[in-house]
Amino acid sequence: MQNQSLPSHPIGVFDSGVGGLTVVRALMDRLPFENIIYFGDTARVPYGVKSVDTIAHFTQEIAQFLQNQQVKMLIIACNTMAAVAADLVRDSANVPVLDVIEAGAKNAVDVSWTGGIGVIGTPATINSNAYARAIHQLNPGYRVYSQACPLFVPLVEEGWLDHPVTKLTAQEYLKPVFVEKIDTLVLGCTHYPLIKPLLLDVVGGRMKLVDSALSIADQAADLLQSSGMANPSHQAPDYRFYVTDVPVKFQSIGERFLGRSLNKIERVNL
Amino acid sequence: MQNQSLPSHPIGVFDSGVGGLTVVRALMDRLPFENIIYFGDTARVPYGVKSVDTIAHFTQEIAQFLQNQQVKMLIIACNTMAAVAADLVRDSANVPVLDVIEAGAKNAVDVSWTGGIGVIGTPATINSNAYARAIHQLNPGYRVYSQACPLFVPLVEEGWLDHPVTKLTAQEYLKPVFVEKIDTLVLGCTHYPLIKPLLLDVVGGRMKLVDSALSIADQAADLLQSSGMANPSHQAPDYRFYVTDVPVKFQSIGERFLGRSLNKIERVNL
């Protein structure tokens, strides 16, 4: 299919749930004139426990839905979907496709000065080994140490962003990371930017943090610029949010992730 | 349909995931000669985020599957299913049906001496208000104070059963409970028996704990005795475990819940 995207068309961002809103937030800050459509598959979250075939199928459904909305770029803001199905989406899409894992890996390789990179994420992301693969594709000599942090997502969703429990949990999870020779730590989950101040505090001067949400916003900005697809309009952009189910706390959790009020939420069936 | 159950037939226990194994453990201890079939709908867990219609539909599918295995009794070991679909299962089943909410509520009403009962559970269970309804049906004068504890399930699944983080979390969640005039606290989630020692420590002498898993094992024992359906055999019983998906950590988490090794796990499609 021919690419008939226009610079005024929106950027399409998708995730299995609410986490990808941290990527939307970074895009809003970095690219304040771009229209954005967000898709959260809240009826079928969490993806981490599903089979590879199912995740691939759902991911392609969503990518197709967003392309039907005439997006000019697709951003996979879900680590599980990126790990399992980014190549599939790239093969079938008629617009550029960015994903959080590739963006985070590239940024980490740029930032690291000793070649020792740590990655923290959900068990599903860490078990997929996708960050290590992406980093080794960029530089096979780099050492990658991965650490699953299963409690960070529930802690963020509970809103304990600056709570002694969260700090104690972070100290526990990062203990083995501190032993490794690592100068750069990738936040490999879209929930983690919400506890970045706490993580910075726990990490101290030991290593730099790479926030994949910021990494992908920078990548998107570069690509729009270089391809002449940046929106020339300087009017207030249009933001739309599609979800497959509206959970009780979607609005309140979503606003915490987004850092602003959440309007135009529409429920759709795929 | 006519009830053709025999005393040698197994007890059928089901849950959305692994949590109901604490009920199986209590049954094994309380009724050491009963055969047991467990069904965990691990492919579709968690139920708490699904719609009432979907939960009701899945619950009836599982109840039918177990009845096809000729169980002599059904035990709903999932608080979400019990809250939403216990009556539906009772209406259509041709064997006795026990559920964790009714069992926990009955036990709490028996134990409480001042009429002040606290209930802790997942947000889905607490929002359903099912424990309060069940307690008020038994005694409308009792006061019920409910407290959601979203982090307990992830903490248990992380295996932090006796960890400072879990203790600090429990102290935080129970702070408002301690302010109420409560003498009895219901563990309204099948994951919580694993942190009972820690909760006993945090609660101290303030209130008694009601463990729904033990409550339902007692109820099952009474019912089998009074109906003449207890298994007369004194041979080693047969335990079978059906799941709809085998997650990476099912075996290790399951054994922690069960307190013994987990054999004869079979994957089935509904």
Side-chain angles (χ1 to χ4, degrees):
Chain A
M1 202 193 313
Q2 211 186 333
N3 182 347
Q4 300 176 320
S5 299
L6 299 175
S8 60
H9 285 173
I11 298 172
V13 182
F14 61 103
D15 181 30
S16 56
V18 78
L21 290 174
T22 56
V23 171
V24 173
R25 181 182 193 161
L27 288 168
M28 287 172 167
D29 290 344
R30 184 71 181 74
L31 296 163
F33 301 114
E34 295 295 338
N35 301 306
I36 300 173
I37 297 183
Y38 182 76
F39 189 99
D41 196 3
T42 47
R44 303 191 291 200
V45 74
Y47 273 33
V49 295
K50 300 189 199 303
S51 72
V52 166
D53 285 351
T54 302
I55 295 168
H57 176 63
F58 289 176
T59 305
Q60 290 194 291
E61 272 185 353
I62 298 168
Q64 193 51 57
F65 173 87
L66 286 171
Q67 287 183 90
N68 294 346
Q69 313 291 310
Q70 294 207 289
V71 297
K72 63 180 174 184
M73 175 187 280
L74 281 170
I75 295 186
I76 309 177
C78 168
N79 282 278
T80 303
M81 292 199 234
V84 168
D87 289 341
L88 281 174
V89 175
R90 281 201 180 87
D91 288 347
S92 60
N94 57 1
V95 294
V97 178
L98 303 183
D99 77 80
V100 274
I101 292 179
E102 192 186 63
K106 273 187 183 162
N107 200 348
V109 168
D110 287 346
V111 167
S112 176
W113 64 99
T114 66
I117 296 174
V119 180
I120 54 175
T122 64
T125 299
I126 297 305
N127 290 336
S128 78
N129 220 25
Y131 274 95
R133 269 202 310 278
I135 291 166
H136 285 145
Q137 265 180 11
L138 296 164
N139 190 326
Y142 275 26
R143 284 173 299 102
V144 179
Y145 180 85
S146 303
Q147 171 71 42
C149 305
L151 287 165
F152 280 170
V153 166
L155 283 164
V156 166
E157 297 199 341
E158 180 67 323
W160 289 9
L161 308 182
D162 185 32
H163 194 284
V165 163
T166 311
K167 189 162 183 180
L168 201 55
T169 303
Q171 286 165 338
E172 182 86 17
Y173 282 143
L174 293 177
K175 220 180 280 173
V177 179
F178 292 157
V179 178
E180 303 294 317
K181 283 182 185 149
I182 279 167
D183 62 46
T184 304
L185 183 67
V186 182
L187 309 188
C189 170
T190 51
H191 278 62
Y192 298 178
L194 279 89
I195 51 168
K196 195 159 61 170
L198 181 143
L199 291 172
L200 278 168
D201 186 32
V202 171
V203 162
R206 288 184 185 90
M207 51 192 76
K208 292 207 170 176
L209 297 193
V210 165
D211 175 344
S212 318
L214 299 183
S215 312
I216 208 161
D218 284 337
Q219 262 203 9
D222 290 347
L223 184 57
L224 291 180
Q225 201 58 46
S226 65
S227 62
M229 288 295 284
N231 190 8
S233 159
H234 278 201
Q235 293 190 315
D238 186 39
Y239 299 136
R240 276 179 289 158
F241 301 91
Y242 292 105
V243 291
T244 46
D245 193 8
V246 183
V248 182
K249 290 169 77 183
F250 183 79
Q251 182 96 15
S252 59
I253 293 186
E255 294 189 345
R256 200 185 302 143
F257 276 70
L258 201 59
R260 65 185 81 189
S261 66
L262 191 50
N263 302 310
K264 296 197 190 170
I265 305 173
E266 196 176 323
R267 184 175 164 169
V268 290
N269 292 316
L270 284 189
Chain B
M1 198 193 316
Q2 211 186 331
N3 183 345
Q4 300 176 320
S5 298
L6 299 175
S8 60
H9 286 172
I11 298 173
V13 182
F14 61 103
D15 181 29
S16 56
V18 78
L21 290 174
T22 56
V23 171
V24 173
R25 180 181 193 163
L27 287 168
M28 287 171 166
D29 289 345
R30 184 72 181 73
L31 296 163
F33 301 115
E34 295 295 338
N35 302 307
I36 299 173
I37 297 183
Y38 182 75
F39 189 100
D41 195 4
T42 47
R44 304 192 290 200
V45 75
Y47 274 33
V49 295
K50 300 188 199 304
S51 72
V52 166
D53 284 352
T54 303
I55 296 167
H57 176 64
F58 289 176
T59 305
Q60 289 193 292
E61 273 184 354
I62 299 168
Q64 193 51 57
F65 173 88
L66 287 170
Q67 287 182 90
N68 292 347
Q69 313 292 311
Q70 294 205 291
V71 297
K72 63 180 174 183
M73 174 188 282
L74 281 170
I75 295 186
I76 309 177
C78 169
N79 281 277
T80 303
M81 291 199 234
V84 169
D87 289 341
L88 280 173
V89 175
R90 282 201 178 88
D91 288 346
S92 60
N94 58 0
V95 295
V97 178
L98 304 182
D99 77 81
V100 273
I101 292 180
E102 191 185 64
K106 273 188 183 160
N107 200 348
V109 168
D110 287 346
V111 167
S112 176
W113 63 99
T114 67
I117 296 174
V119 180
I120 55 175
T122 64
T125 300
I126 296 305
N127 290 337
S128 78
N129 221 24
Y131 273 97
R133 270 202 309 278
I135 290 166
H136 286 144
Q137 264 179 13
L138 296 164
N139 190 326
Y142 274 26
R143 284 172 300 102
V144 180
Y145 180 85
S146 302
Q147 171 71 41
C149 304
L151 287 165
F152 280 169
V153 166
L155 282 164
V156 166
E157 296 198 342
E158 181 67 320
W160 289 9
L161 308 182
D162 184 31
H163 194 283
V165 163
T166 311
K167 189 162 184 182
L168 200 56
T169 304
Q171 286 165 337
E172 182 86 17
Y173 283 143
L174 293 176
K175 220 182 280 172
V177 180
F178 292 157
V179 177
E180 304 291 317
K181 283 182 185 149
I182 279 166
D183 62 46
T184 303
L185 183 67
V186 182
L187 309 187
C189 170
T190 50
H191 278 62
Y192 297 179
L194 278 89
I195 51 168
K196 196 159 60 171
L198 181 143
L199 291 173
L200 279 168
D201 186 31
V202 170
V203 162
R206 290 183 185 92
M207 51 192 76
K208 294 208 168 176
L209 297 193
V210 165
D211 176 344
S212 317
L214 299 182
S215 311
I216 209 161
D218 283 337
Q219 261 202 9
D222 290 348
L223 184 58
L224 292 179
Q225 202 57 47
S226 64
S227 62
M229 288 295 283
N231 190 7
S233 159
H234 278 200
Q235 294 191 313
D238 186 37
Y239 300 136
R240 275 178 290 158
F241 302 91
Y242 292 105
V243 290
T244 46
D245 193 7
V246 184
V248 181
K249 292 168 76 182
F250 183 81
Q251 182 97 14
S252 59
I253 293 187
E255 293 187 346
R256 197 185 304 142
F257 276 70
L258 202 61
R260 66 185 78 188
S261 66
L262 190 51
N263 302 310
K264 295 196 189 172
I265 304 173
E266 195 176 322
R267 183 175 165 168
V268 289
N269 292 316
L270 282 188

mmCIF file with all atom_site columns, all heavy atoms in Angstrom, chain A residues 81-96:
data_model
loop_
_atom_site.group_PDB
_atom_site.id
_atom_site.type_symbol
_atom_site.label_atom_id
_atom_site.label_alt_id
_atom_site.label_comp_id
_atom_site.label_asym_id
_atom_site.label_entity_id
_atom_site.label_seq_id
_atom_site.pdbx_PDB_ins_code
_atom_site.Cartn_x
_atom_site.Cartn_y
_atom_site.Cartn_z
_atom_site.occupancy
_atom_site.B_iso_or_equiv
_atom_site.pdbx_formal_charge
_atom_site.auth_seq_id
_atom_site.auth_comp_id
_atom_site.auth_asym_id
_atom_site.auth_atom_id
_atom_site.pdbx_PDB_model_num
ATOM 1   N N   . MET A 1 81 ? 4.911  -6.049  23.628 1.00 0.00 ? 81 MET A N   1
ATOM 2   C CA  . MET A 1 81 ? 4.601  -6.061  22.189 1.00 0.00 ? 81 MET A CA  1
ATOM 3   C C   . MET A 1 81 ? 5.864  -5.788  21.374 1.00 0.00 ? 81 MET A C   1
ATOM 4   O O   . MET A 1 81 ? 6.076  -6.401  20.326 1.00 0.00 ? 81 MET A O   1
ATOM 5   C CB  . MET A 1 81 ? 3.560  -4.987  21.872 1.00 0.00 ? 81 MET A CB  1
ATOM 6   C CG  . MET A 1 81 ? 2.205  -5.267  22.442 1.00 0.00 ? 81 MET A CG  1
ATOM 7   S SD  . MET A 1 81 ? 0.930  -4.275  21.580 1.00 0.00 ? 81 MET A SD  1
ATOM 8   C CE  . MET A 1 81 ? 0.142  -3.467  22.956 1.00 0.00 ? 81 MET A CE  1
ATOM 9   N N   . ALA A 1 82 ? 6.704  -4.865  21.862 1.00 0.00 ? 82 ALA A N   1
ATOM 10  C CA  . ALA A 1 82 ? 7.926  -4.546  21.127 1.00 0.00 ? 82 ALA A CA  1
ATOM 11  C C   . ALA A 1 82 ? 8.830  -5.767  21.060 1.00 0.00 ? 82 ALA A C   1
ATOM 12  O O   . ALA A 1 82 ? 9.413  -6.077  20.005 1.00 0.00 ? 82 ALA A O   1
ATOM 13  C CB  . ALA A 1 82 ? 8.652  -3.379  21.798 1.00 0.00 ? 82 ALA A CB  1
ATOM 14  N N   . ALA A 1 83 ? 8.928  -6.498  22.177 1.00 0.00 ? 83 ALA A N   1
ATOM 15  C CA  . ALA A 1 83 ? 9.811  -7.664  22.229 1.00 0.00 ? 83 ALA A CA  1
ATOM 16  C C   . ALA A 1 83 ? 9.336  -8.756  21.275 1.00 0.00 ? 83 ALA A C   1
ATOM 17  O O   . ALA A 1 83 ? 10.128 -9.428  20.632 1.00 0.00 ? 83 ALA A O   1
ATOM 18  C CB  . ALA A 1 83 ? 9.869  -8.213  23.663 1.00 0.00 ? 83 ALA A CB  1
ATOM 19  N N   . VAL A 1 84 ? 8.027  -8.915  21.178 1.00 0.00 ? 84 VAL A N   1
ATOM 20  C CA  . VAL A 1 84 ? 7.473  -10.059 20.448 1.00 0.00 ? 84 VAL A CA  1
ATOM 21  C C   . VAL A 1 84 ? 7.155  -9.729  18.990 1.00 0.00 ? 84 VAL A C   1
ATOM 22  O O   . VAL A 1 84 ? 7.353  -10.559 18.105 1.00 0.00 ? 84 VAL A O   1
ATOM 23  C CB  . VAL A 1 84 ? 6.193  -10.556 21.166 1.00 0.00 ? 84 VAL A CB  1
ATOM 24  C CG1 . VAL A 1 84 ? 5.432  -11.543 20.309 1.00 0.00 ? 84 VAL A CG1 1
ATOM 25  C CG2 . VAL A 1 84 ? 6.554  -11.164 22.516 1.00 0.00 ? 84 VAL A CG2 1
ATOM 26  N N   . ALA A 1 85 ? 6.671  -8.496  18.727 1.00 0.00 ? 85 ALA A N   1
ATOM 27  C CA  . ALA A 1 85 ? 6.026  -8.273  17.430 1.00 0.00 ? 85 ALA A CA  1
ATOM 28  C C   . ALA A 1 85 ? 6.485  -7.031  16.683 1.00 0.00 ? 85 ALA A C   1
ATOM 29  O O   . ALA A 1 85 ? 5.869  -6.678  15.669 1.00 0.00 ? 85 ALA A O   1
ATOM 30  C CB  . ALA A 1 85 ? 4.513  -8.226  17.638 1.00 0.00 ? 85 ALA A CB  1
ATOM 31  N N   . ALA A 1 86 ? 7.563  -6.362  17.130 1.00 0.00 ? 86 ALA A N   1
ATOM 32  C CA  . ALA A 1 86 ? 7.977  -5.130  16.445 1.00 0.00 ? 86 ALA A CA  1
ATOM 33  C C   . ALA A 1 86 ? 8.312  -5.396  14.977 1.00 0.00 ? 86 ALA A C   1
ATOM 34  O O   . ALA A 1 86 ? 7.914  -4.629  14.096 1.00 0.00 ? 86 ALA A O   1
ATOM 35  C CB  . ALA A 1 86 ? 9.171  -4.500  17.166 1.00 0.00 ? 86 ALA A CB  1
ATOM 36  N N   . ASP A 1 87 ? 9.007  -6.508  14.700 1.00 0.00 ? 87 ASP A N   1
ATOM 37  C CA  . ASP A 1 87 ? 9.389  -6.789  13.308 1.00 0.00 ? 87 ASP A CA  1
ATOM 38  C C   . ASP A 1 87 ? 8.165  -7.069  12.444 1.00 0.00 ? 87 ASP A C   1
ATOM 39  O O   . ASP A 1 87 ? 8.096  -6.626  11.290 1.00 0.00 ? 87 ASP A O   1
ATOM 40  C CB  . ASP A 1 87 ? 10.362 -7.980  13.267 1.00 0.00 ? 87 ASP A CB  1
ATOM 41  C CG  . ASP A 1 87 ? 11.723 -7.589  13.829 1.00 0.00 ? 87 ASP A CG  1
ATOM 42  O OD1 . ASP A 1 87 ? 12.005 -6.380  13.893 1.00 0.00 ? 87 ASP A OD1 1
ATOM 43  O OD2 . ASP A 1 87 ? 12.477 -8.501  14.211 1.00 0.00 ? 87 ASP A OD2 1
ATOM 44  N N   . LEU A 1 88 ? 7.210  -7.788  13.004 1.00 0.00 ? 88 LEU A N   1
ATOM 45  C CA  . LEU A 1 88 ? 5.970  -8.065  12.269 1.00 0.00 ? 88 LEU A CA  1
ATOM 46  C C   . LEU A 1 88 ? 5.271  -6.769  11.889 1.00 0.00 ? 88 LEU A C   1
ATOM 47  O O   . LEU A 1 88 ? 4.807  -6.605  10.757 1.00 0.00 ? 88 LEU A O   1
ATOM 48  C CB  . LEU A 1 88 ? 5.010  -8.892  13.139 1.00 0.00 ? 88 LEU A CB  1
ATOM 49  C CG  . LEU A 1 88 ? 5.278  -10.384 13.254 1.00 0.00 ? 88 LEU A CG  1
ATOM 50  C CD1 . LEU A 1 88 ? 4.324  -11.004 14.268 1.00 0.00 ? 88 LEU A CD1 1
ATOM 51  C CD2 . LEU A 1 88 ? 5.091  -11.039 11.885 1.00 0.00 ? 88 LEU A CD2 1
ATOM 52  N N   . VAL A 1 89 ? 5.179  -5.844  12.860 1.00 0.00 ? 89 VAL A N   1
ATOM 53  C CA  . VAL A 1 89 ? 4.508  -4.576  12.587 1.00 0.00 ? 89 VAL A CA  1
ATOM 54  C C   . VAL A 1 89 ? 5.281  -3.811  11.519 1.00 0.00 ? 89 VAL A C   1
ATOM 55  O O   . VAL A 1 89 ? 4.705  -3.271  10.575 1.00 0.00 ? 89 VAL A O   1
ATOM 56  C CB  . VAL A 1 89 ? 4.364  -3.741  13.882 1.00 0.00 ? 89 VAL A CB  1
ATOM 57  C CG1 . VAL A 1 89 ? 3.769  -2.361  13.571 1.00 0.00 ? 89 VAL A CG1 1
ATOM 58  C CG2 . VAL A 1 89 ? 3.491  -4.460  14.896 1.00 0.00 ? 89 VAL A CG2 1
ATOM 59  N N   . ARG A 1 90 ? 6.615  -3.777  11.630 1.00 0.00 ? 90 ARG A N   1
ATOM 60  C CA  . ARG A 1 90 ? 7.444  -3.074  10.638 1.00 0.00 ? 90 ARG A CA  1
ATOM 61  C C   . ARG A 1 90 ? 7.239  -3.653  9.235  1.00 0.00 ? 90 ARG A C   1
ATOM 62  O O   . ARG A 1 90 ? 7.158  -2.918  8.261  1.00 0.00 ? 90 ARG A O   1
ATOM 63  C CB  . ARG A 1 90 ? 8.934  -3.208  11.006 1.00 0.00 ? 90 ARG A CB  1
ATOM 64  C CG  . ARG A 1 90 ? 9.335  -2.259  12.088 1.00 0.00 ? 90 ARG A CG  1
ATOM 65  C CD  . ARG A 1 90 ? 10.835 -1.966  12.157 1.00 0.00 ? 90 ARG A CD  1
ATOM 66  N NE  . ARG A 1 90 ? 11.009 -1.042  13.251 1.00 0.00 ? 90 ARG A NE  1
ATOM 67  C CZ  . ARG A 1 90 ? 11.174 -1.392  14.525 1.00 0.00 ? 90 ARG A CZ  1
ATOM 68  N NH1 . ARG A 1 90 ? 11.270 -2.668  14.850 1.00 0.00 ? 90 ARG A NH1 1
ATOM 69  N NH2 . ARG A 1 90 ? 11.277 -0.476  15.468 1.00 0.00 ? 90 ARG A NH2 1
ATOM 70  N N   . ASP A 1 91 ? 7.145  -4.996  9.164  1.00 0.00 ? 91 ASP A N   1
ATOM 71  C CA  . ASP A 1 91 ? 7.004  -5.635  7.851  1.00 0.00 ? 91 ASP A CA  1
ATOM 72  C C   . ASP A 1 91 ? 5.690  -5.269  7.172  1.00 0.00 ? 91 ASP A C   1
ATOM 73  O O   . ASP A 1 91 ? 5.624  -5.167  5.949  1.00 0.00 ? 91 ASP A O   1
ATOM 74  C CB  . ASP A 1 91 ? 7.088  -7.165  8.002  1.00 0.00 ? 91 ASP A CB  1
ATOM 75  C CG  . ASP A 1 91 ? 8.507  -7.605  8.309  1.00 0.00 ? 91 ASP A CG  1
ATOM 76  O OD1 . ASP A 1 91 ? 9.428  -6.772  8.153  1.00 0.00 ? 91 ASP A OD1 1
ATOM 77  O OD2 . ASP A 1 91 ? 8.698  -8.767  8.723  1.00 0.00 ? 91 ASP A OD2 1
ATOM 78  N N   . SER A 1 92 ? 4.646  -5.089  7.975  1.00 0.00 ? 92 SER A N   1
ATOM 79  C CA  . SER A 1 92 ? 3.325  -4.893  7.352  1.00 0.00 ? 92 SER A CA  1
ATOM 80  C C   . SER A 1 92 ? 2.878  -3.430  7.337  1.00 0.00 ? 92 SER A C   1
ATOM 81  O O   . SER A 1 92 ? 1.915  -3.101  6.642  1.00 0.00 ? 92 SER A O   1
ATOM 82  C CB  . SER A 1 92 ? 2.278  -5.748  8.079  1.00 0.00 ? 92 SER A CB  1
ATOM 83  O OG  . SER A 1 92 ? 2.209  -5.360  9.427  1.00 0.00 ? 92 SER A OG  1
ATOM 84  N N   . ALA A 1 93 ? 3.542  -2.554  8.088  1.00 0.00 ? 93 ALA A N   1
ATOM 85  C CA  . ALA A 1 93 ? 3.062  -1.172  8.173  1.00 0.00 ? 93 ALA A CA  1
ATOM 86  C C   . ALA A 1 93 ? 3.514  -0.357  6.953  1.00 0.00 ? 93 ALA A C   1
ATOM 87  O O   . ALA A 1 93 ? 4.562  -0.641  6.368  1.00 0.00 ? 93 ALA A O   1
ATOM 88  C CB  . ALA A 1 93 ? 3.580  -0.524  9.449  1.00 0.00 ? 93 ALA A CB  1
ATOM 89  N N   . ASN A 1 94 ? 2.721  0.638   6.598  1.00 0.00 ? 94 ASN A N   1
ATOM 90  C CA  . ASN A 1 94 ? 3.107  1.537   5.510  1.00 0.00 ? 94 ASN A CA  1
ATOM 91  C C   . ASN A 1 94 ? 3.543  2.902   6.040  1.00 0.00 ? 94 ASN A C   1
ATOM 92  O O   . ASN A 1 94 ? 3.543  3.893   5.320  1.00 0.00 ? 94 ASN A O   1
ATOM 93  C CB  . ASN A 1 94 ? 1.975  1.678   4.487  1.00 0.00 ? 94 ASN A CB  1
ATOM 94  C CG  . ASN A 1 94 ? 0.698  2.181   5.137  1.00 0.00 ? 94 ASN A CG  1
ATOM 95  O OD1 . ASN A 1 94 ? 0.679  2.434   6.341  1.00 0.00 ? 94 ASN A OD1 1
ATOM 96  N ND2 . ASN A 1 94 ? -0.347 2.342   4.356  1.00 0.00 ? 94 ASN A ND2 1
ATOM 97  N N   . VAL A 1 95 ? 3.882  2.956   7.331  1.00 0.00 ? 95 VAL A N   1
ATOM 98  C CA  . VAL A 1 95 ? 4.414  4.177   7.961  1.00 0.00 ? 95 VAL A CA  1
ATOM 99  C C   . VAL A 1 95 ? 5.609  3.760   8.818  1.00 0.00 ? 95 VAL A C   1
ATOM 100 O O   . VAL A 1 95 ? 5.761  2.568   9.139  1.00 0.00 ? 95 VAL A O   1
ATOM 101 C CB  . VAL A 1 95 ? 3.351  4.870   8.853  1.00 0.00 ? 95 VAL A CB  1
ATOM 102 C CG1 . VAL A 1 95 ? 2.188  5.407   8.009  1.00 0.00 ? 95 VAL A CG1 1
ATOM 103 C CG2 . VAL A 1 95 ? 2.847  3.930   9.934  1.00 0.00 ? 95 VAL A CG2 1
ATOM 104 N N   . PRO A 1 96 ? 6.486  4.713   9.208  1.00 0.00 ? 96 PRO A N   1
ATOM 105 C CA  . PRO A 1 96 ? 7.616  4.349   10.071 1.00 0.00 ? 96 PRO A CA  1
ATOM 106 C C   . PRO A 1 96 ? 7.122  3.800   11.411 1.00 0.00 ? 96 PRO A C   1
ATOM 107 O O   . PRO A 1 96 ? 6.089  4.244   11.923 1.00 0.00 ? 96 PRO A O   1
ATOM 108 C CB  . PRO A 1 96 ? 8.355  5.671   10.274 1.00 0.00 ? 96 PRO A CB  1
ATOM 109 C CG  . PRO A 1 96 ? 7.883  6.573   9.191  1.00 0.00 ? 96 PRO A CG  1
ATOM 110 C CD  . PRO A 1 96 ? 6.494  6.134   8.836  1.00 0.00 ? 96 PRO A CD  1
#
